[in-house]
Amino acid sequence: WLSDLRQRGYTPRVGGVFRKTNLFLTEFLKGIAMCIIVISETKPLTLASFVDFHKSNPDGAGIMTAHDGKVHVHVSLDGPEAMYTKYMQMYKPDTAMFLHYRMQTHGKVDLANTHPYLVYRWENGKELWMMHNGILKTGNAANKDMSDTWHYIQDYMQELSRDFPKWFLNEAILGWIGESIGNNRFVLLDSDGDYGIVNYTQWSEHDEHLYSNTYAWSSPRKALPKYPTRVYGGHYGDYNSDDWRDLNN
């Protein structure tokens, strides 16, 4: 599979958009705040968590969840109370919920740059969406209004998703992309309810929720495990080793 990807031109590229001074700023920002993603499978988050996330990440929030053959998405620039109300309206027991709070580093603060992002929509109507936590070295030079996440999707993920719709369920590909993006975290969710995590060793579990970092919220750091025990979720067990190549069968 890796040889096939390389023949199609999918070569991991980190890029050199930042100057050395900006690289220093990037490393500095990592210790302050830089978005937060939370995955909840067994119970919903509390309003107090939304208030906490918003304090360090005030530049937009988004929710995604998948059921009935569709990814349901809500993005907003509203305060934590309004987001929590919408979250509970969208919540379904035994269905994974994905929450993202943004701290702007690239692009405008607007709904277009509020996660999640649509990665790809296939002809059969099924979709793949993504949330990102981190600062990508590939930057946003082509369009300063849009975020580094948007650029990465346009440049690297759309063609990959078109040709290999279930690529995010392949652990080797997740690792390959993870190495190329470094200290960044992705989670991808499709219409079937399947999801994959990039750089899962950078995530932490606490109180039955999965967090993409421990620095952009009031985390009990000493109590957090170093990383979660899984790389993907949803209906992964229904697929064999070759199904990730197929078009959402």
Side-chain angles (χ1 to χ4, degrees):
W1 60 265
L2 185 56
S3 176
D4 189 9
L5 288 174
R6 283 175 173 160
Q7 288 176 6
R8 292 170 179 260
Y10 301 118
T11 304
R13 290 171 289 177
V14 176
V17 175
F18 295 115
R19 297 178 181 176
K20 290 183 179 179
T21 53
N22 288 336
L23 283 172
F24 172 81
L25 177 60
T26 298
E27 294 300 320
F28 177 73
L29 286 171
K30 289 176 184 176
I32 303 175
M34 195 171 45
C35 305
I36 179 72
I37 306 169
V38 187
I39 304 173
S40 305
E41 290 190 320
T42 62
K43 65 180 183 180
L45 290 161
T46 65
L47 173 57
S49 293
F50 279 70
V51 173
D52 182 23
F53 302 150
H54 185 265
K55 288 179 181 177
S56 297
N57 311 277
D59 299 323
I63 304 162
M64 65 181 184
T65 187
H67 54 81
D68 302 322
K70 181 180 178 181
V71 180
H72 301 265
V73 171
H74 175 73
V75 294
S76 177
L77 300 177
D78 293 336
E81 292 81 6
M83 280 302 299
Y84 176 72
T85 298
K86 186 63 179 181
Y87 179 91
M88 293 307 301
Q89 290 173 353
M90 296 175 66
Y91 177 79
K92 285 182 174 290
D94 302 318
T95 301
M97 294 287 288
F98 302 80
L99 175 70
H100 184 285
Y101 263 87
R102 181 185 183 218
M103 195 277 283
Q104 180 244 12
T105 59
H106 294 82
K108 291 183 176 180
V109 175
D110 57 15
L111 292 178
N113 283 304
T114 304
H115 302 228
Y117 286 87
L118 177 64
V119 176
Y120 200 80
R121 180 181 292 116
W122 290 274
E123 292 182 359
N124 62 2
K126 292 188 177 183
E127 298 173 341
L128 178 64
W129 290 75
M130 187 181 90
M131 292 174 168
H132 165 225
N133 170 205
I135 300 176
L136 294 162
K137 294 181 181 179
T138 43
N140 69 334
N143 183 348
K144 293 295 186 180
D145 289 342
M146 301 305 294
S147 72
D148 53 338
T149 311
W150 182 88
H151 283 76
Y152 191 91
I153 290 170
Q154 304 298 311
D155 294 340
Y156 303 108
M157 305 195 88
Q158 288 193 334
E159 191 176 353
L160 173 62
S161 300
R162 181 198 67 197
D163 294 345
F164 304 101
K166 292 289 186 180
W167 66 264
F168 59 95
L169 298 183
N170 183 280
E171 188 170 347
I173 298 180
L174 292 175
W176 177 59
I177 291 177
E179 288 183 5
S180 75
I181 63 174
N183 186 26
N184 286 269
R185 293 146 296 282
F186 297 158
V187 62
L188 298 107
L189 173 70
D190 75 0
S191 299
D192 296 328
D194 295 323
Y195 70 87
I197 297 170
V198 178
N199 280 336
Y200 70 96
T201 58
Q202 298 175 17
W203 295 63
S204 297
E205 291 178 346
H206 173 65
D207 193 28
E208 301 180 47
H209 303 287
L210 188 60
Y211 296 82
S212 61
N213 64 61
T214 58
Y215 52 75
W217 60 293
S218 301
S219 63
R221 301 188 185 194
K222 293 182 179 179
L224 291 169
K226 194 170 184 180
Y227 53 84
T229 56
R230 62 191 182 281
V231 183
Y232 31 69
H235 306 93
Y236 180 80
D238 297 336
Y239 295 89
N240 63 43
S241 60
D242 293 323
D243 281 336
W244 60 273
R245 295 174 179 271
D246 298 332
L247 181 58
N248 293 310
N249 288 338

